[in-house]
Amino acid sequence: MTEVSSLTGRLLVATPALADPNFDRAVVLLLDHDEEGSLGVVLNRPTPVGVGDILESWAELAGEPGVVFQGGPVSLDSALGVAVVPGEGQEQGAAAVLGDGPVGWRRVHGAIGLVDLEAPPELLAAALGSLRIFAGYAGWGPGQLEDELAEGAWYVVESEPGDVSSPDPERLWRSVLRRQRNELAMVATYPDDPSLN
């Protein structure tokens, strides 16, 4: 078994060659990546369903647009909360902040973490900078993501805390590519339909 270096906290950006319609122009935040597999959420697939329609108590904390996002094709009936907690390790209002963030939040990478949606929202309200709710997730078994990377299906780039709460998620694929300081910036100009080029 080859050693897997963790890509947790990085973004997978679908290449134009990726044929799977579930991931067409997808930007996936990897929440977990190790030798047992990978798990992430697609950041740029808003649904028409409001957060208040399924998790009313979290609706006020959800960023704009205040809708549920389709996190991926796996377990669409489950919800994941991903939030940014700015100023890690500081006392923030009434929230109980420990060395690794507020109660009910688990750090994934930097200021980005997973929210325990079973916790009372008021525990986190003062600490959260932004919150997104995802229905489902994207998952890969052991070695599956590495195979897709070797096939050239994904670009791997650094994430920024603002990616989680992009107010214009439909443009996230282009904006993430455009900010790269290499040839990937040119891929952002790739036409939606190459046959019209």
Side-chain angles (χ1 to χ4, degrees):
M1 178 98 184
T2 58
E3 186 177 318
V4 174
S5 68
S6 181
L7 299 176
T8 299
R10 312 265 311 267
L11 295 178
L12 297 177
V13 181
T15 68
L18 183 60
D20 185 340
N22 287 309
F23 297 109
D24 182 45
R25 301 221 173 182
V27 177
V28 178
L29 172 65
L30 280 176
L31 301 172
D32 193 22
H33 177 250
D34 57 28
E35 63 281 343
E36 295 176 19
S38 305
L39 181 139
V41 289
V42 179
L43 297 177
N44 58 336
R45 294 281 193 275
T47 72
V49 179
V51 171
D53 295 339
I54 62 161
L55 291 169
E56 187 177 342
S57 61
W58 290 96
E60 268 188 49
L61 297 177
E64 288 300 320
V67 297
V68 175
F69 282 66
Q70 184 174 337
V74 182
S75 293
L76 290 171
D77 58 345
S78 66
L80 282 170
V82 178
V84 173
V85 173
E88 53 191 276
Q90 300 172 1
E91 190 63 28
Q92 297 171 351
V97 178
L98 303 173
D100 213 23
V103 173
W105 180 83
R106 181 177 61 85
R107 183 181 318 282
V108 169
H109 177 78
I112 301 168
L114 285 167
V115 172
D116 177 1
L117 296 174
E118 300 294 320
E122 53 273 9
L123 271 182
L124 290 155
L128 295 185
S130 63
L131 169 70
R132 277 273 155 83
I133 304 295
F134 296 91
Y137 62 90
W140 294 265
Q144 189 180 3
L145 179 58
E146 288 73 19
D147 291 346
E148 290 183 17
L149 291 171
E151 292 166 4
W154 301 98
Y155 303 120
V156 179
V157 300
E158 295 298 324
S159 65
E160 294 181 1
D163 295 335
V164 172
S165 58
S166 172
D168 193 3
E170 289 88 355
R171 299 183 54 83
L172 189 60
W173 186 83
R174 289 189 192 282
S175 64
V176 167
L177 288 172
R178 197 172 288 125
R179 75 177 182 230
Q180 303 310 308
R181 299 175 192 261
N182 54 32
E183 65 278 356
L184 288 184
M186 290 298 295
V187 177
T189 64
Y190 197 84
D192 291 333
D193 183 353
S195 68
L196 300 176
N197 197 5

